[in-house]
Amino acid sequence: MFVIRVSFIFFFLLFILPSTVFSFTCLEMGKEEEEEEIGKELFPDILREEAVSRLNELGEVSDADGHLERTFMSPASKKAISLVQIWMEDAGLRTWVDQMGNVHGRADGMNSHAEALLIGSHLDTIIDAGIFDGPLGIVCAVSALKVLKIRGKLGNLKRPVEVIAFSDEEGVRFQSTFLGSAAISGTRPASALQISDKSGVTVQDVLKENSFDATEESYLQLKYDPQSVWGYIEVHIEQGPVLESVGLPLGVVKGIAGQTRLKVTVRGSQGHAGTVPMSMRQDPMTAAAELIVLLETMCKNPADFISYDKHCNGFAAESLAGSLVCTVGEISSWPGAINVIPGQVTFTVDLRTMDDMAREAIIFEISNRMYQTCDRRSVSCIIERKHDAEAVMCDPGLSSELKSAANSALKRVAGEIQDKVPVLMSGAGHDAMAMSHLTKVGMLFVRCRGGISHSPAEHVLDDDVWIAGLAILAFVETYL
């Protein structure tokens, strides 16, 4: 009996145990290989590492030392155009730069004449900008198409896909937003070429300096035929705190607030700071200060200034109280000397709300009260409307597809089914507003730290850049 037991133990150690250990080892190795394959399918080297590197590289392309500044057709803008064009070609796209400096990268797919999906955002920045506002949407889209190229599927698209890096959305130089996307959507007449900056240089002048035709004919030819476009999508940082507060990297945009920009000029009597008695002054600076405080007060408490009877001229009171924001972003005085009462003060007003009728009502009321204040102070007041953009509602079908794509991206990274992608309203303007006049539009928001934007503190997590790229990839994959 003892001999039999010893023999069995010997047999177990010699034959069974090694095979068992081998099978466990194989299972473990198989699991590791499977995880590695899954990791490769998520393409972190392109959609995360390379994308983040490119965003940082673009962030160094600036016209200023010490901060990011890249405005329409500036030297830095031209360098950024070249850089993005190289990246588009690297992704297998056919590229060109149009007569407004917009960069295009197109994959024709199996049918170059089919209606195209357009994906875009802007290359220009504000002064002292962050690196994600605009470029994030461009870089993520190019990266997603590069993945398709590597997989050998770029030519299998059922419809053309075109990425557009718009030359101007912020409107910093010419105080007129959407110069790039408005030309393509046909929402601006050719007279846009005659808009001038503070130095009196026109859009046409700048384009000609950069070897563009800049004729009315070349400008009008930029407009896309609506029959050639299937839809437009845009990925953009949220520029708000909602996604961070709910702990999710992506959100679907339901609509974009309407916007009006005003230029207010207050003129008084220029004089010596030490010789004109206070009671006899017609000081446009103090008048402007009162106007700015008036603006803030009205926008914080619109119901105190406009009478409501549930509805006022067709809009609900809640549409103002819930979404109205007003901002004075620039102020300047002439002659601007410390010992002189200025003769003129100019400031800008940026006013936004989701309800266009409500926006018109508040502008009417603000203008009237500003004129009354100027009359009381014996100064003149001129209010000019420099820019108007109607509120835009995103296409429900596109929004649904984007939500599915976002859920797919989250599932692929997190390894679990997610159906939590929130639906948000955008208080910021986007190229999608201009493009909505050409075709149906949809947008995805990407979480940004603290909701901060238009600031060097603007920040998006590397993994969120990755997930945004995966969402675009998932969206485009539906057309394979």
Side-chain angles (χ1 to χ4, degrees), residues 332-363:
S332 62
S333 65
W334 178 262
I338 194 169
N339 61 341
V340 176
I341 302 168
Q344 177 176 300
V345 174
T346 302
F347 64 91
T348 62
V349 176
D350 185 312
L351 188 149
R352 309 181 191 210
T353 185
M354 281 308 306
D355 190 311
D356 288 330
M357 292 186 70
R359 180 164 48 89
E360 290 299 329
I362 198 71
I363 289 170

Side-chain angles (χ1 to χ4, degrees), residues 132-150:
F132 298 95
D133 182 351
L136 176 68
I138 299 166
V139 169
C140 285
V142 172
S143 297
L145 293 180
K146 182 175 178 177
V147 168
L148 289 186
K149 174 197 170 188
I150 290 172

Side-chain angles (χ1 to χ4, degrees), residues 82-380:
S82 298
L83 205 54
V84 169
Q85 194 168 11
I86 290 169
W87 294 341
M88 287 178 170
E89 289 168 357
D90 175 57
L93 308 181
R94 175 170 57 88
T95 69
W96 69 97
V97 180
D98 68 28
Q99 291 294 312
M100 281 296 284
N102 300 310
V103 193
H104 303 250
R106 184 178 175 101
D108 287 326
M110 295 187 295
N111 182 2
S112 62
H113 299 294
E115 295 176 326
L117 165 66
L118 307 181
I119 310 174
S121 199
H122 60 97
L123 264 180
D124 67 316
T125 73
I126 63 157
I127 297 170
D128 198 21
I131 69 172
F132 298 95
D133 182 351
L136 176 68
I138 299 166
V139 169
C140 285
V142 172
S143 297
L145 293 180
K146 182 175 178 177
V147 168
L148 289 186
K149 174 197 170 188
I150 290 172
R151 292 166 58 192
K153 295 185 177 182
L154 196 58
N156 297 343
L157 292 165
K158 294 179 182 178
R159 65 173 71 254
V161 176
E162 184 175 320
V163 181
I164 309 176
F166 296 114
S167 58
D168 177 276
E169 185 254 20
E170 300 288 4
V172 171
R173 181 170 185 179
F174 291 96
Q175 298 293 295
S176 185
T177 58
F178 310 137
L179 285 177
S181 52
I184 288 174
S185 61
T187 54
R188 283 267 173 82
S191 58
L193 293 172
Q194 304 310 319
I195 297 172
S196 60
D197 63 15
K198 293 175 181 178
S199 302
V201 178
T202 66
V203 173
Q204 188 174 49
D205 294 334
V206 173
L207 290 170
K208 285 185 174 180
E209 286 172 9
N210 290 280
S211 303
F212 293 105
D213 290 343
T215 63
E216 289 193 7
E217 183 181 2
S218 66
Y219 179 83
L220 294 174
Q221 287 176 351
L222 294 177
K223 183 182 184 300
Y224 276 34
D225 179 358
Q227 300 301 315
S228 70
V229 180
W230 177 81
Y232 171 84
I233 65 169
E234 183 170 350
V235 173
H236 203 281
I237 61 170
E238 181 194 356
Q239 300 178 279
V242 177
L243 289 174
E244 188 175 55
S245 69
V246 297
L248 291 170
L250 298 178
V252 175
V253 180
K254 182 180 180 180
I256 307 169
Q259 176 187 12
T260 293
R261 288 183 175 182
L262 306 175
K263 178 182 177 182
V264 181
T265 303
V266 186
R267 294 194 177 103
S269 295
Q270 185 174 322
H272 194 290
T275 61
V276 181
M278 294 299 291
S279 61
M280 299 177 68
R281 296 186 179 197
Q282 293 173 288
D283 188 343
M285 182 65 81
T286 53
E290 185 173 342
L291 296 180
I292 292 170
V293 173
L294 170 67
L295 176 76
E296 180 191 45
T297 304
M298 290 186 68
C299 290
K300 279 185 174 180
N301 307 287
D304 295 343
F305 295 86
I306 297 179
S307 299
Y308 296 104
D309 182 13
K310 291 188 178 180
H311 288 76
C312 175
N313 296 328
F315 66 86
E318 293 79 10
S319 65
L320 272 180
S323 68
L324 176 64
V325 292
C326 309
T327 305
V328 173
E330 290 185 22
I331 185 166
S332 62
S333 65
W334 178 262
I338 194 169
N339 61 341
V340 176
I341 302 168
Q344 177 176 300
V345 174
T346 302
F347 64 91
T348 62
V349 176
D350 185 312
L351 188 149
R352 309 181 191 210
T353 185
M354 281 308 306
D355 190 311
D356 288 330
M357 292 186 70
R359 180 164 48 89
E360 290 299 329
I362 198 71
I363 289 170
F364 177 80
E365 190 65 28
I366 283 173
S367 299
N368 281 343
R369 290 177 182 268
M370 282 186 170
Y371 287 131
Q372 291 170 11
T373 300
C374 288
D375 286 344
R376 176 168 50 78
R377 283 184 163 271
S378 299
V379 295
S380 69

Side-chain angles (χ1 to χ4, degrees), residues 39-98:
K40 288 179 181 178
E41 280 298 306
L42 298 180
F43 293 93
D45 54 329
I46 297 171
L47 299 177
R48 184 176 58 197
E49 277 77 19
E50 185 176 72
V52 170
S53 174
R54 287 176 170 180
L55 286 165
N56 287 322
E57 187 174 354
L58 266 179
E60 296 296 322
V61 181
S62 175
D63 289 304
D65 293 328
H67 68 266
L68 178 56
E69 177 182 335
R70 194 168 58 236
T71 58
F72 180 70
M73 283 294 112
S74 69
S77 172
K78 289 180 285 183
K79 185 177 178 181
I81 286 171
S82 298
L83 205 54
V84 169
Q85 194 168 11
I86 290 169
W87 294 341
M88 287 178 170
E89 289 168 357
D90 175 57
L93 308 181
R94 175 170 57 88
T95 69
W96 69 97
V97 180
D98 68 28

Side-chain angles (χ1 to χ4, degrees), residues 415-460:
E416 58 185 39
I417 297 176
Q418 299 268 355
D419 191 24
K420 301 177 182 177
V421 176
V423 177
L424 311 172
M425 299 302 296
S426 175
H430 302 286
D431 288 298
M433 298 182 81
M435 297 300 284
S436 70
H437 295 273
L438 175 70
T439 185
K440 59 187 179 183
V441 300
M443 285 192 71
L444 271 182
F445 270 167
V446 183
R447 171 173 56 190
C448 57
R449 186 172 60 196
I452 296 171
S453 72
H454 282 196
S455 161
E458 188 176 278
H459 181 75
V460 175

